[in-house]
Amino acid sequence: MLLSFALAGACAANAADTNPSQQITEQAGVVMDFKPSPPGSYKLYDIKTAPDGKVLDIDGKARSLSEFTGDKITLLSFIYSSCADPSGCPFAYLVFHNLQNRLERHPEFKGSIRLVSLSFDPRRDTPEVLRLYAGDSGNADRDVEWDFLTTASLHDLIPVLDAYGQDVYIDVDPVTKKPLSTLSHVLKVFLIDRNHVIREIYTTAYLSPDVVYNDILTLLMEEGIKLP
């Protein structure tokens, strides 16, 4: 958790010296060797309906995941708060942090976009822990809301992971063969339209703030919303 906030602070401090999107990807060891296409110059196709599931919000209230994947353009990532892999959850946190601040510069987008981080470590990522992890980013009065969710148990979590195709593995000590406190996973982020349809899936290699930002604008243009 502390690593995530430290990286976010470093990014903000150096934003004037370099392109923030490029800096975020470079910190994660990701090289973007292409230039994102302009918003609206391409089409994002329907992939599949975003699966539902049982989740808990940071108040500990039982909710349906579908409450967070419709009515707004949604960016959904699977994370765990103690992840220290710079190309994993901290990278997703920085991308989301950049997008939230960037999109909030446009009042006309208010109420149209949502960010969601869903933990796959319910044992440690309780609603109380995620509230601390969210910090100011999770404030309900933000123009671009960022919801932090967990599940009540693995029994509720596993069907969601399976439905989204998000693999998670428990790391094992090679000597003792005992489980470690770390989890291995392939970072996946899902762009979902207002109708609960997944329109893009990003892995680390394509999770550039500029790419995702342009994709969000493309969906807004598809809805007839005029860009600034």
Side-chain angles (χ1 to χ4, degrees):
M1 179 173 67
L2 293 178
L3 176 61
S4 296
F5 295 134
L7 288 173
C11 177
N14 294 300
D17 300 324
T18 186
N19 178 286
S21 181
Q22 179 182 348
Q23 185 179 33
I24 289 171
T25 56
E26 288 178 351
Q27 285 183 355
V30 178
V31 177
M32 297 291 175
D33 56 358
F34 61 92
K35 183 177 180 180
S37 300
S41 65
Y42 54 92
K43 180 174 177 60
L44 295 169
Y45 292 94
D46 296 357
I47 297 176
K48 69 174 184 178
T49 300
D52 198 2
K54 298 177 181 179
V55 297
L56 300 176
D57 62 22
I58 57 174
D59 293 320
K61 182 180 178 181
R63 310 282 292 272
S64 293
L65 182 56
S66 60
E67 296 178 50
F68 301 91
T69 61
D71 300 324
K72 298 181 182 182
I73 294 171
T74 301
L75 197 63
L76 167 68
S77 70
F78 289 91
I79 58 95
Y80 73 108
S81 65
S82 56
C83 178
D85 180 358
S87 63
C89 306
F91 178 37
Y93 185 97
L94 282 179
V95 171
F96 277 45
H97 184 270
N98 174 276
L99 289 169
Q100 186 182 44
N101 290 331
R102 192 170 176 180
L103 291 164
E104 286 183 334
R105 297 173 193 158
H106 303 284
E108 62 272 26
F109 295 163
K110 183 177 181 179
S112 297
I113 303 157
R114 173 197 296 113
L115 308 176
V116 179
S117 293
L118 174 56
S119 173
F120 50 77
D121 188 10
R123 182 174 63 86
R124 286 175 293 192
D125 286 343
T126 62
E128 294 78 13
V129 168
L130 287 183
R131 181 185 292 277
L132 292 174
Y133 183 75
D136 178 66
S137 298
N139 286 349
D141 59 352
R142 297 288 297 256
D143 286 353
V144 174
E145 69 179 278
W146 187 351
D147 294 292
F148 292 79
L149 308 174
T150 188
T151 56
S153 65
L154 290 175
H155 181 268
D156 290 341
L157 173 66
I158 291 174
V160 176
L161 296 180
D162 287 345
Y164 277 89
Q166 177 65 74
D167 295 325
V168 179
Y169 305 94
I170 298 175
D171 292 333
V172 176
D173 188 296
V175 177
T176 65
K177 305 301 180 183
K178 293 182 178 180
L180 300 173
S181 61
T182 56
L183 302 171
S184 295
H185 67 105
V186 175
L187 180 63
K188 288 185 180 181
V189 176
F190 300 82
L191 180 63
I192 305 168
D193 67 21
R194 293 181 190 265
N195 299 313
H196 302 274
V197 177
I198 297 173
R199 304 292 293 275
E200 187 60 277
I201 303 174
Y202 310 95
T203 56
T204 302
Y206 294 98
L207 191 62
S208 159
D210 286 346
V211 170
V212 181
Y213 182 78
N214 286 1
D215 286 351
I216 290 172
L217 295 189
T218 294
L219 290 186
L220 290 172
M221 294 173 68
E222 182 181 287
E223 296 174 354
I225 296 177
K226 293 184 178 180
L227 302 185

